[in-house]
Amino acid sequence: MRPLLVVGVSPALAAWAVAQSGHEQPYWQRFRLPDMAHDNAMSACSAHYPDCRVVVSGNSGCVAIATTGSQWGVAWAGSQPRADDAAMRICDGLNAGPCTIEHQFCGR
């Protein structure tokens, strides 16, 4: 399993984007500008999958990424517990095995 492509988190990196192909491994980036986060997440994902899209992006709220080890669910919400719950529901709905939260972060 490849590790998620992640840029270090700092307050200066307020914008974020998560790109994914289906329910394959997501790629997320944090940058100062939303367009940069979007473009870099897409570039990282497209290097591995031909049909990537940004599944969540923004500069506030929280993101959670849940996985079975082979399939991933990504969700955004206004709080970390709500993002975690939503990502777990998406992952559980894939019926690919038990899910756990692998990554989570909040903007501003």
Side-chain angles (χ1 to χ4, degrees):
M1 177 179 355
R2 291 185 316 273
L4 293 176
L5 181 58
V6 177
V7 172
V9 178
S10 92
L13 303 175
W16 47 265
V18 180
Q20 189 176 26
S21 173
H23 291 285
E24 298 293 336
Q25 181 178 9
Y27 294 84
W28 60 281
Q29 295 285 327
R30 292 184 71 146
F31 281 91
R32 290 178 191 252
L33 302 172
D35 289 346
M36 290 178 74
H38 180 280
D39 293 348
N40 282 281
M42 281 296 295
S43 178
C45 184
S46 295
H48 299 281
Y49 305 106
D51 60 343
C52 294
R53 66 186 179 89
V54 171
V55 293
V56 293
S57 64
N59 60 8
S60 64
C62 298
V63 173
I65 300 172
T67 186
T68 64
S70 65
Q71 297 287 292
W72 283 261
V74 178
W76 172 92
S79 70
Q80 196 64 68
R82 289 177 48 211
D84 292 352
D85 288 345
M88 287 295 289
R89 280 194 310 274
I90 292 167
C91 185
D92 287 339
L94 300 173
N95 296 316
C99 297
T100 58
I101 297 294
E102 184 170 289
H103 292 285
Q104 55 188 193
F105 63 92
C106 293
R108 294 187 205 204

